[in-house]
Amino acid sequence: MRPTFPTLLLAGALALASSARADEAPLFIPQWLGAQYTFVDQHQGRVHSPYAGSLSLHAQGDTERSHTFGAYFGMALPAHLAFYFDVEMFRGEGVSGATGLGGLTNGDVIRAGVAGLGRGAYVARRYLQWSLPLGEARETVERSQDHLPSTQATQRIEAKLGKMAVNDDFDRNRYANGTRTQFMNWDLFNATSWDFAADTRGYTEGLMLAWVNPAWTLRYGVYRMPYEANGQRLESSLRHARGEQWQLSLHPHPDGWVLRLLAFHNIARMGSYRDAIAQALASGQAPNVHADDYPGRHKFGWAINGELPLADGGDTGLFARAGWNDGHTESFVFSEVDRTLSGGFQLSGAHWGRSADHIGMGFALNALSRPHREYLELGGSGFVLGDGALDYAHEEIAEVYYSYAPFPHLTLSPDLQWVRHPGYNRDRGPAAFAGVRAHVEF
């Protein structure tokens, strides 16, 4: 049988792993840092649907499967430099074409791309990292994705330049951050109102700077925005279009609570909801915010993100997020959410004799700005929402999963989600989703 690309990818990664040292990264020798495969089988039940648009949840329900493959590499360089290179591949679909909701239900489909983008392997990350120690105290860094095995100063300056994912460094959370092992809903691994710079697959090019201290960290990032909403092409100049974010993280104790305060500002070819509505009323047609792609439009907002370890060495704990953006210009990158509030908990399986297992339960509430709401009420469409009309209500989401680890490197996760007022529409739903996820990681 002819070997498939994922088989060759994993075989090459394992070969590199066998030749690399596990304690300290040698200079100029590429190291395999990790490889993963994630499979999601998700079913959407029937949805009450008196009317529908091109981006509505499928009224009769849907069942889809998605697959992601990845291999992750790094190389230590002189002068406190390191280079990272990640390759991924996505196959499959999300239920209802990954549309119809602000809080979409399968976090892996953010890597699906658009029709015609291709389903072959692609470079996800390709960046140079520099770290300048500012003190003598050091901590151990274990081998993992985009982390070479080494030690690093607890007080340092960091810089990253190249292709990366913005949410690798911002809005992280111990209990609600990994869609492949934790919550699958988009609302529960990032603040969905944070419209961070990215192409269709979730990656962009830019610069991240960080001042890291034992009790606090200050980060700044500037990145290329897409040329159009949910588009793969990135703007060429940061002078005319960019996404900027600032984040202050407070972590006074190594195993204690963490609070992250994030602010962002985007400049891009974003349409104005108000202008699109005015043009539609004058012409008698449905509004189209995508046609109003005036360059230099602004969007700004903020997010607050907290985690609180309770027990089991931090393996049991609480999390919460809140986010807001001004909502005057179109949702451009992540999802169609202008205000969000979410929270929940993770419970360690140590309480029933399975310390590698976890139960997670989370809740989210999404809302739209008034211009965004009125735009959809008049029959407008975004890139994930468009029922043709709208009887507005907040979108309410609940998710529960169980992460079962039968042996090291494998987790199996049954997952249930329930959404009231999907797509902010009181006339639709509720919608129920049941899925199972398998994740293999080396």
Side-chain angles (χ1 to χ4, degrees), residues 120-184:
Y122 57 87
V123 176
R125 298 172 184 84
R126 180 184 57 243
Y127 66 87
L128 195 66
Q129 179 171 306
W130 175 70
S131 179
L132 176 66
L134 298 178
E136 298 297 327
R138 302 190 71 82
E139 59 188 3
T140 300
V141 179
E142 302 291 340
R143 179 181 66 86
S144 61
Q145 178 184 337
D146 301 330
H147 290 89
L148 287 161
S150 61
T151 62
Q152 64 182 6
T154 58
Q155 187 176 16
R156 62 191 184 275
I157 298 294
E158 285 186 358
K160 291 169 63 174
L161 177 67
K163 183 176 184 180
M164 64 194 88
V166 179
N167 56 353
D168 286 347
D169 297 297
F170 296 87
D171 195 38
R172 297 182 62 83
N173 192 289
R174 177 174 185 169
Y175 306 112
N177 193 78
T179 180
R180 290 167 176 165
T181 57
Q182 298 174 321
F183 295 98
M184 290 170 52

Side-chain angles (χ1 to χ4, degrees), residues 284-338:
Q285 299 178 344
N288 181 8
V289 74
H290 310 304
D292 183 40
D293 58 348
Y294 186 80
R297 291 253 175 75
H298 296 253
K299 182 187 292 291
F300 62 90
W302 53 262
I304 301 174
N305 169 345
E307 59 188 63
L308 178 63
L310 296 177
D312 310 311
D315 218 20
T316 293
L318 304 174
F319 71 91
R321 281 187 177 96
W324 176 94
N325 70 58
D326 62 271
H328 297 305
T329 51
E330 66 177 313
S331 298
F332 209 64
V333 183
F334 190 32
S335 190
E336 296 198 52
V337 179
D338 300 320

Side-chain angles (χ1 to χ4, degrees), residues 237-260:
S237 171
L238 291 178
R239 290 181 57 192
H240 302 111
R242 61 187 178 272
E244 295 180 276
Q245 28 272 308
W246 302 260
Q247 179 176 280
L248 173 64
S249 300
L250 305 176
H251 37 81
H253 306 290
D255 299 316
W257 59 269
V258 181
L259 182 65
R260 301 174 182 88

Side-chain angles (χ1 to χ4, degrees), residues 29-334:
I29 298 179
Q31 291 195 76
W32 169 71
L33 301 178
Q36 73 86 30
Y37 165 69
T38 304
F39 167 74
V40 175
D41 186 321
Q42 191 170 62
H43 173 73
Q44 172 207 311
R46 294 170 63 92
V47 177
H48 174 68
S49 179
Y51 53 88
S54 60
L55 299 177
S56 297
L57 289 179
H58 297 172
Q60 303 304 313
D62 193 17
T63 299
E64 299 291 347
R65 298 172 179 86
S66 67
H67 311 258
T68 56
F69 308 85
Y72 311 102
F73 305 89
M75 181 170 62
L77 300 171
H80 306 293
L81 291 167
F83 178 72
Y84 294 95
F85 185 84
D86 299 346
V87 180
E88 292 186 341
M89 184 171 68
F90 178 91
R91 297 290 175 88
E93 302 288 345
V95 292
S96 292
T99 61
L101 295 166
L104 296 167
T105 59
N106 179 355
D108 252 7
V109 301
I110 197 171
R111 298 162 181 84
V114 295
L117 191 57
R119 297 302 171 92
Y122 57 87
V123 176
R125 298 172 184 84
R126 180 184 57 243
Y127 66 87
L128 195 66
Q129 179 171 306
W130 175 70
S131 179
L132 176 66
L134 298 178
E136 298 297 327
R138 302 190 71 82
E139 59 188 3
T140 300
V141 179
E142 302 291 340
R143 179 181 66 86
S144 61
Q145 178 184 337
D146 301 330
H147 290 89
L148 287 161
S150 61
T151 62
Q152 64 182 6
T154 58
Q155 187 176 16
R156 62 191 184 275
I157 298 294
E158 285 186 358
K160 291 169 63 174
L161 177 67
K163 183 176 184 180
M164 64 194 88
V166 179
N167 56 353
D168 286 347
D169 297 297
F170 296 87
D171 195 38
R172 297 182 62 83
N173 192 289
R174 177 174 185 169
Y175 306 112
N177 193 78
T179 180
R180 290 167 176 165
T181 57
Q182 298 174 321
F183 295 98
M184 290 170 52
N185 194 284
W186 291 26
D187 266 303
L188 297 172
F189 66 82
N190 277 130
T192 41
S193 60
W194 173 40
D195 210 20
F196 57 86
D199 62 18
T200 314
R201 285 177 169 141
Y203 304 101
T204 185
E205 296 176 350
L207 170 70
M208 189 282 298
L209 302 172
W211 183 6
V212 182
N213 291 272
W216 56 270
T217 299
L218 183 63
R219 295 184 187 274
Y220 167 76
V222 57
Y223 306 90
R224 294 172 64 187
M225 289 289 287
Y227 187 85
E228 60 185 352
N230 197 37
Q232 187 66 11
R233 173 187 173 189
L234 296 175
E235 290 275 11
S236 59
S237 171
L238 291 178
R239 290 181 57 192
H240 302 111
R242 61 187 178 272
E244 295 180 276
Q245 28 272 308
W246 302 260
Q247 179 176 280
L248 173 64
S249 300
L250 305 176
H251 37 81
H253 306 290
D255 299 316
W257 59 269
V258 181
L259 182 65
R260 301 174 182 88
L261 308 173
L262 181 150
F264 74 94
H265 175 224
N266 295 340
I267 304 175
R269 298 174 183 269
M270 298 175 286
S272 162
Y273 290 120
R274 288 293 190 203
D275 289 354
I277 290 171
Q279 293 168 11
L281 294 177
S283 65
Q285 299 178 344
N288 181 8
V289 74
H290 310 304
D292 183 40
D293 58 348
Y294 186 80
R297 291 253 175 75
H298 296 253
K299 182 187 292 291
F300 62 90
W302 53 262
I304 301 174
N305 169 345
E307 59 188 63
L308 178 63
L310 296 177
D312 310 311
D315 218 20
T316 293
L318 304 174
F319 71 91
R321 281 187 177 96
W324 176 94
N325 70 58
D326 62 271
H328 297 305
T329 51
E330 66 177 313
S331 298
F332 209 64
V333 183
F334 190 32

